[in-house]
Amino acid sequence: MKRNSDIYAELLTAYDAVCFRTVRVLRSSAEIYGAIMEDNEIEPDNWEALDSLSTRRSTVSQLQLAGQTAAGCMLEDLRKDMDSLLNNLLLFVVRAALAGEWTLARSKRRLGSIGFTLEPSSPGFPTFVAGVAAFAFCWALAWLVYSGQFIQEPGDPSIASLRAVIMTTLYPLVNFPLVYHFKQRYAFANENIFGRLPMQFILSIGLVGTVVIFLPVQVLFDLYQFPGEPSSRVVLYDLPLLIFPWGFGTMTALLVQDSTWGRRSRQTRQMRDGLVFGGGMLAMLAISMAIYQVVPMPAMRLVDGMTASRFFANLAVPSFLFGFIIGHLMIGWLREAAARYPVWKQDLATPSLVGV
């Protein structure tokens, strides 16, 4: 109270005002209702008969209706004042509990001890990103083990395997925090007031991670994976492969918009997120194959001599499943975490106020 003396003084003033007003409002309402009942010889607890008076078309009935309406309005205003006082009281108690402890954990324990219902805290965003990156890492390893006996990696096999693991892990590790940061802090990364998508942000955010992170890493792997070939030729021809990190960031920025899929159920949104992400990975693979017919990308030599069934089983299906799992399980969480306002949270006046 000493640290928040100004707020405490305002709270006391509001409390005193409501206390005095309560007496006046209740007394005035009782007098109005008593006069109406006495004039019509109605029992004090016969509210149905009192309501029936409003249907009579006479001057006396109209006066009675006006008095009844005035009493109801006074009681409604009093209820609003009391709700406002209660909300301010709850905020003051929460502020006092948070200000009186050194750590957030101790503040939560204090709030729980005085009767607040504490919602379980969700894992932090760094933990979430680490989990997604771990999934991508394990997926790449599993793909290498599964396809190792069917696919001949071009260039140095050990560097090619390391490239597949590192690049796959970097896709969510770079793009998820990047989209999350801009979506939460900058208006141009969100829909405008007319509900239009920020297409410039969606199409360009993938380029940021691609140019800053993925391009140097890819150049480094190109130089070590194909040491016996001209460096400039290898780096230049492999540039179209950057469509994968760009497309990953673009799909993420598109799906995390607040109005994506509207008010549909969580299961429906998750399924559509998965289908869009999986379809996007397949589309990028198809574009890469089309470019490979024109540009001899060194890293794409792994498809040389591969039958259609082998390509479908070892590249198309894993690419779709990788995108589908990430979209289905992780994009929805990222969308809610990156929302600028907690639109799905409960009313702040509820006992779970500490979750704000």
Side-chain angles (χ1 to χ4, degrees):
M1 292 182 182
K2 291 181 180 179
R3 295 179 183 178
N4 303 276
S5 58
D6 52 343
I7 300 178
Y8 180 63
E10 294 177 2
L11 189 64
L12 280 181
T13 303
Y15 174 76
D16 294 338
V18 171
C19 287
F20 287 116
R21 188 177 179 187
T22 301
V23 176
R24 294 195 301 269
V25 169
L26 293 179
R27 182 179 298 172
S28 300
S29 300
E31 292 177 356
I32 293 175
Y33 282 113
I36 295 174
M37 294 175 181
E38 182 179 359
D39 185 65
N40 293 272
E41 298 180 354
I42 298 176
E43 295 296 329
D45 58 348
N46 193 350
W47 298 101
E48 294 182 1
L50 182 62
D51 292 335
S52 67
L53 294 176
S54 60
T55 60
R56 299 179 185 178
R57 295 187 175 276
S58 64
T59 304
V60 176
S61 296
Q62 294 300 319
L63 291 175
Q64 292 170 343
L65 176 61
Q68 187 176 353
T69 302
C73 290
M74 287 189 294
L75 291 175
E76 178 66 17
D77 291 341
L78 178 62
R79 184 191 65 80
K80 293 179 180 178
D81 290 339
M82 296 179 71
D83 288 343
S84 177
L85 176 64
L86 179 60
N87 291 340
N88 290 331
L89 179 60
L90 291 176
L91 288 173
F92 182 76
V93 171
V94 170
R95 181 169 180 174
L98 294 177
E101 299 293 344
W102 285 96
T103 63
L104 180 60
R106 295 182 60 180
S107 298
K108 289 183 176 181
R109 287 197 297 269
R110 173 65 64 86
L111 288 170
S113 65
I114 60 179
F116 281 84
T117 302
L118 305 181
E119 295 180 352
S121 58
S122 59
F125 186 74
T127 304
F128 166 73
V129 174
V132 179
F135 163 76
F137 180 83
C138 295
W139 184 272
L141 283 180
W143 178 80
L144 288 174
V145 173
Y146 166 73
S147 63
Q149 53 186 333
F150 304 108
I151 297 178
Q152 182 64 37
E153 294 281 1
D156 189 332
S158 59
I159 299 298
S161 300
L162 184 62
R163 176 178 187 162
V165 172
I166 296 299
M167 295 296 285
T168 304
T169 305
L170 284 178
Y171 289 161
L173 194 62
V174 172
N175 286 296
F176 276 18
L178 201 61
V179 172
Y180 174 84
H181 171 75
F182 282 96
K183 179 73 171 56
Q184 268 214 330
R185 297 180 180 274
Y186 299 98
F188 62 78
N190 295 269
E191 299 159 341
N192 61 19
I193 59 176
F194 302 106
R196 295 173 185 169
L197 292 174
M199 295 307 301
Q200 293 180 345
F201 167 75
I202 293 173
L203 295 176
S204 63
I205 187 61
L207 294 175
V208 177
T210 300
V211 173
V212 176
I213 303 295
F214 290 98
L215 178 58
V217 174
Q218 178 170 296
V219 170
L220 185 64
F221 277 117
D222 283 338
L223 297 179
Y224 282 95
Q225 186 176 351
F226 306 99
E229 302 184 26
S231 301
S232 58
R233 179 177 176 272
V234 172
V235 171
L236 181 63
Y237 284 173
D238 267 349
L239 285 180
L241 290 177
L242 294 175
I243 189 177
F244 285 97
W246 171 81
F248 197 100
T250 300
M251 290 188 296
T252 302
L254 173 64
L255 293 177
V256 299
Q257 297 302 314
D258 297 336
S259 64
T260 301
W261 313 131
R263 293 283 183 173
R264 290 170 176 82
S265 65
R266 177 178 291 273
Q267 291 77 10
T268 301
R269 296 196 303 270
Q270 287 181 324
M271 182 61 65
R272 293 186 178 185
D273 289 337
L275 292 175
V276 169
F277 230 94
M281 296 298 295
L282 275 182
M284 289 185 288
L285 179 62
I287 294 174
S288 299
M289 289 297 298
I291 296 176
Y292 184 55
Q293 306 306 313
V294 180
V295 180
M297 295 181 286
M300 289 296 293
R301 292 174 190 165
L302 58 88
V303 301
D304 292 344
M306 188 181 295
T307 62
S309 59
R310 191 69 56 81
F311 174 82
F312 181 80
N314 291 275
L315 288 179
V317 172
S319 297
F320 175 80
L321 290 178
F322 175 72
F324 180 83
I325 293 174
I326 285 184
H328 186 272
L329 298 180
M330 303 164 187
I331 292 297
W333 193 97
L334 181 65
R335 180 167 50 239
E336 295 179 3
R340 300 193 69 191
Y341 301 101
V343 292
W344 301 107
K345 296 296 183 182
Q346 296 180 352
D347 193 322
L348 299 183
T350 60
S352 59
L353 185 62
V354 70
V356 179

